[in-house]
Amino acid sequence: MRPGSSRAMAATALALGALLTTALPATAAEDPAPAASRCTPALHVLDRLPGAGAGSWGSESVNDFGAGGLSVGRSAGLPAYWTGSTVHRVPLPSGYDSGSVAAVNHRGLMVGSIQGPAGSAAFSYRAGTPAVRILPGGTYAADVNDRGTIAGGNESSDTASLWTGVTLTRTLTVTPGHTRVRVSGINSRGTVIGSSWYWDGVSEVSGSVGLVWPGGATGPGRDLRPVEINSDTDWYPNAIDNHGRIVGERTYAHADLAAETYWDAPYAKDGVQIPGLPAHEGKGWLNDISPSSGVAVGTAMFPYGIPPVTPIDQAQIWPGSGPVRALPSLAVNGPAGAEAVNDESRAGGWAYDGDPYDGAGAPHPVIWTCALG
């Protein structure tokens, strides 16, 4: 569960009210809460925060879901959360002017990172409280599980950490040769995933490898297979579900390629690449996986491509087997990406209402209800 899908406040689902949707079934006012009988495929646009950061690339995104109508992420370049379609600003300490909520658990504990003149800080927050809580020693928090264990680290000191409350409870270790460690997820069993830059002490080059720290284990992170140290191939696990399935991508610099990939516990076999969207030549990655249903979402894109030479970014969903499916966009020439998914096939992310390469489009935080259709 990366930016921790399906966790959050035990609140009643809030009606979305009057929302903008695409020309899917006209259900703009429907509540995208988990009730299957009320679930209709639709793309909902959520409210945005005002501010100087509004409208810029990367300024808007739904990154995770909680119970009922709670979702969390980023708006106008600021950490934000939504109840239904209504946006709320996470209060920032003095001097901090940007950030993002990465994850939320089922009790409404949000985590993420904020930035200011003095650098970045990891934080936790609960809706309605007057201020965030800074996590000691951290520059980012990537995920939080339903037990309240927060996973993140410090990019300046190259450390990976676990917190409970605001107490640093464990520093995750790595074997010699691993540097630039970055944590990306934790599941309900306490299994942590991430990646690092690895040099085997022999090769002339180094590369990114996936790492997993099994829940309850105290040793260094294990390498996810295969470990390929060359100037071309890198591995990035992004999210883990409660069964231990990990999703992410493999990138190939020479081919301008990213391939959707998954690993299954006990991680004794190589990661499995799955076919991506044909229109994007199978290029893309998986950003999140639901806690229990095995559904994953991500973005089909050429890592270094620029339209119109390459297709625009396309949000996508994978049922856990079979082919990847495209999720609808707001505009024909508007890029979109999916960052979160829960067990009710509710996906979240961002979408442009026009072509940003022509200066005509603006980004919006969005939710796809009944995303498997």
Side-chain angles (χ1 to χ4, degrees), residues 35-169:
S37 62
R38 302 176 60 193
C39 192
T40 302
L43 173 54
H44 305 262
V45 174
L46 308 187
D47 294 340
R48 297 180 295 182
L49 291 173
S56 60
W57 187 274
S59 63
E60 310 290 335
S61 181
V62 173
N63 293 337
D64 196 14
F65 291 111
L70 178 67
S71 54
V72 301
R74 177 179 175 95
S75 183
L78 299 167
Y81 65 97
W82 293 265
T83 50
S85 66
T86 304
V87 66
H88 307 272
R89 184 191 304 264
V90 172
L92 299 181
S94 177
Y96 289 91
D97 56 8
S98 62
S100 182
V101 182
V104 60
N105 73 3
H106 78 289
R107 295 184 178 182
L109 180 61
M110 308 177 199
V111 301
S113 61
I114 51 178
Q115 291 80 41
S120 299
F123 75 89
S124 66
Y125 178 73
R126 291 184 184 275
T129 57
V132 301
R133 304 176 76 187
I134 301 299
L135 303 179
T139 59
Y140 71 95
D143 203 359
V144 57
N145 68 12
D146 291 341
R147 298 180 179 180
T149 303
I150 302 168
N154 188 308
E155 293 176 304
S156 300
S157 61
D158 198 21
T159 55
S161 307
L162 300 180
W163 294 268
T164 300
V166 291
T167 300
L168 178 63
T169 55

Side-chain angles (χ1 to χ4, degrees), residues 285-296:
W285 44 71
L286 298 174
N287 294 321
D288 194 24
I289 186 168
S290 60
S292 302
S293 66
V295 178

Side-chain angles (χ1 to χ4, degrees), residues 218-320:
T218 57
R222 294 169 44 193
D223 295 336
L224 288 174
R225 295 178 51 182
V227 176
E228 296 178 284
I229 305 302
N230 54 53
S231 59
D232 184 60
T233 306
D234 296 309
W235 299 89
Y236 297 100
N238 292 328
I240 182 171
D241 71 8
N242 290 334
H243 304 296
R245 172 166 283 189
I246 298 168
V247 297
E249 74 269 359
R250 179 186 190 180
T251 65
Y252 302 84
H254 82 282
D256 188 20
L257 173 65
E260 297 88 342
T261 304
Y262 72 90
W263 296 261
D264 281 331
Y267 316 116
K269 297 181 179 180
D270 290 353
V272 179
Q273 296 180 48
I274 61 174
L277 297 178
H280 288 74
E281 298 180 6
K283 300 178 181 182
W285 44 71
L286 298 174
N287 294 321
D288 194 24
I289 186 168
S290 60
S292 302
S293 66
V295 178
V297 295
T299 306
M301 65 181 299
F302 288 69
Y304 310 106
I306 299 177
V309 178
T310 59
I312 61 169
D313 299 349
Q314 178 72 56
Q316 60 183 6
I317 188 167
W318 182 53

